[in-house]
Structures are given as C-alpha cells and as structure tokens.
Amino acid sequence: MSDDRRLQVLRAIVQDYVATSEPVGSKALLERHRLGVSAATVRNDMAALEEDGLIAAPHTSAGRIPTDAGYRLFVDRLSGIKPMSRAEKSAIRTFLDQSVDLDDVVDRTARLLASLTQQVAVMQYPSLSRSTVRHVELVPLGIDRAMVVLILSSGRVEQRVVELAQDPADAAGQQLLGELRARINAVTDGQVLGEATAQLSSLPEEFPAADRPSVQAIITSLTDLLREQREERVVLAGTSNLARTGVDAGDLGVVLEALEQHVVLLRLLESLDPVERDAVAVRIGAENPHAGLQSTSVVTTTYGSGGVAGLGVLGPTRMDYPSTMAAVRAVARYVSEILDQ
C-alpha cells in the first residue's frame, strides 16, 4: 500500500466522520470519493490504517473512525490552511470594526469565533506582562487636578486622576504638563511595563524644586498604573455548542469543569513556543496536558503585536480542522489590526 493512497483513504474517513458522526465503511468511501481502486483494496488499506493505530472500530461489525493519531496525521499533512471566502472575511471585519473599546473587542471576538466554528471560543485579555507603552497623556481637569492616561500596545487604556500642588490649567501649569508629557513619552515609549517603571524614577529630580511635588504626584500615579497587578482573564463563548458538536455525554461534565478553571485555559493559550507565535497550534485529545480536556481538541493562536495574548476554540476531536484553523487565524489577524490602530 502506498503512503499517498493510505493518506487519501484516511483523509476521506476523517472528512466523512466529521460530516456524519457515523463510522465509515469501505462501501461508503467508494460511493462518496473517487479513490480509483477496488473495494478489496480499500478494505486492505483500512486494515493497514487500523493496524497503524490511525483508525479504529467503535464496536464489532462497524465502520471505522479516526483515532487521535489519525487526526494528528491528517492535520500534519494539510497542505495549508484554506483561506476564508471574501464574504466571510468582510463579515468578520465589519463585525469587529464596530467595537467601541477593548472589552467590546474581546466580547465580540469570542462570540464571533463561537459562531464561525460552532465550538467553544476562548480568548485571553491582552497580557500586561507582554504589553509595551504606546503613549502617556496628561490632561488638566481643574484648578488642582490632572488625569494621567496610559495607552498600551495591547489597546488597553488605563487612567487615574491626580491631585496637584499647582493649577495645571494656567500658563505655567500647561507648560509643566507639556514638558513632563514629552519627557515621560521619551523614556517610556515602546518599553515593556517593568522597564518603563524603572525609567521614571529619576524624572522628578530633573525639574525645579517648586515643580517637583506635582511632578512626583504624576510619576507616582503613573508608576502605580504600570506596576498594578491584574489577574489575567479569559472570556468564553459558545459553551452550549459542546452538547451539539459531539463531545461524549460521559465526558461533558469533566470538560465543563475544566472550562470553569480559567488557569487551565490560560496555560493552554500561553503554551505556544515563542518561535511559533502567529502560527496556528492544534492539540488533539491526549496531547492536551489537562486530563479534563483529553476528549477534546484545542486550536489556538496569538494576536496583537508580539503575540500579547492568545485566542482559540475548543471542541470534540471530531472537528472540521481546516475550517476551524482558518477561522482562528483570520479572526486573530483582524483583532491584531484593530488593536494596532
């Protein structure tokens, strides 16, 4: 048996089983696919695939279904991720372009992925640990107050109101805020948060003594924002799809329990090798490190400049891998474009 023909038979079994959820027999393969060989040859090919652990019989006298190893070979031999249609791409862009802030981007992205794939969508909020400073703005608010606005590469915007020792709205105050804004951005632009914090410590000493209380108040507030520790968060959408897309009823409760543990999902999304960031990773069955997810497949990638966070979908191993991988990749690219604007 040639390797090419064996892969052709395996591909046909995977496609039919994903489409029908029924074990696939040799007769059905010959009827649905132009394999160009006899029924006896197909049966021999299937016997060899079963011996290699790539397909299995769920019960006696049944057709065959792919094993985790069979799905893995199928995914590894994909010639490429099929592109989405122009209409699909336009719909994705239109839907995400309507987002009004970061929370809305994350919520819309998760719901969109769940809808496109009919799986459970998982999206990590942009990680502060990998974000860099894009811009710092200082806005006068009144006689003795100013707002410090921190804009990160991830699209996250943080702000805090600071009480000052002088009026930031008069000529001297505006000049001070302008000079301080320029110096802050000069030393923090493009820096990861830890490095940006270190760059700010000596700035108050560079200003006249009369201005230092106000400068120190702003620097302290900004430093607090940069150092602020926040729990990493993930958003889920489409959990109800698990009951419709083929997760065995006996495994459903275990999978749902795992999904409630966001630390498990964060580890999945953050476990891409740095050299593989921007690639689409597929973990099938037992390849998932958490026992509760070993009846599922997880398709993930990163988004944002430098791969600041991850997104993906989770569903049964009986998954339409080419379409799911295409959707995950396309959505990640559009989200990245939105956040990089």
Side-chain angles (χ1 to χ4, degrees), residues 7 18 58 122 151 181 202 235 272 292 322 338:
L7 184 60
V18 168
V122 185
I151 304 173
R181 180 191 304 114
S202 61
V235 171
L272 278 177
I338 289 172

Side-chain angles (χ1 to χ4, degrees), residues 135-299:
H135 185 71
V136 174
E137 187 59 57
L138 305 178
V139 182
L141 295 180
I143 297 177
D144 60 353
R145 294 188 304 161
M147 179 181 291
V148 179
V149 182
L150 170 65
I151 304 173
L152 303 178
S153 61
S154 63
R156 181 174 277 175
V157 178
E158 305 287 345
Q159 58 190 36
R160 183 168 293 179
V161 175
V162 184
E163 292 188 1
L164 304 179
Q166 59 198 93
D167 186 353
D170 64 19
Q174 290 183 21
Q175 181 177 354
L176 174 61
L177 287 187
E179 184 177 351
L180 180 56
R181 180 191 304 114
R183 293 196 189 186
I184 288 174
N185 283 294
V187 298
T188 62
D189 181 42
Q191 300 289 318
V192 296
L193 305 195
E195 294 174 354
T197 301
Q199 297 289 338
L200 294 172
S201 59
S202 61
L203 274 185
E205 300 302 319
E206 299 177 12
F207 287 81
D211 294 333
R212 286 177 194 168
S214 294
V215 172
Q216 185 63 62
I218 291 172
I219 296 300
T220 298
S221 178
L222 180 57
T223 299
D224 289 344
L225 284 175
L226 291 168
R227 287 178 175 168
E228 193 172 39
Q229 295 298 312
R230 294 182 173 227
E231 179 185 1
E232 296 288 358
R233 289 191 291 158
V234 294
V235 171
L236 295 177
T239 306
S240 61
N241 288 331
L242 286 174
R244 298 193 297 265
T245 54
V247 172
D248 186 88
D251 296 323
L252 186 57
V254 177
V255 174
L256 290 173
E257 184 178 344
L259 290 178
E260 291 178 355
Q261 302 177 46
H262 283 194
V263 64
V264 172
L265 301 179
L266 284 168
R267 287 171 181 168
L268 282 176
L269 294 172
E270 293 178 341
S271 60
L272 278 177
D273 188 292
V275 300
E276 296 178 344
R277 292 196 176 277
D278 300 325
V280 176
V282 181
R283 298 176 186 82
I284 300 170
E287 295 172 357
N288 288 305
H290 191 277
L293 299 179
Q294 291 184 354
S295 62
T296 70
S297 287
V298 181
V299 180

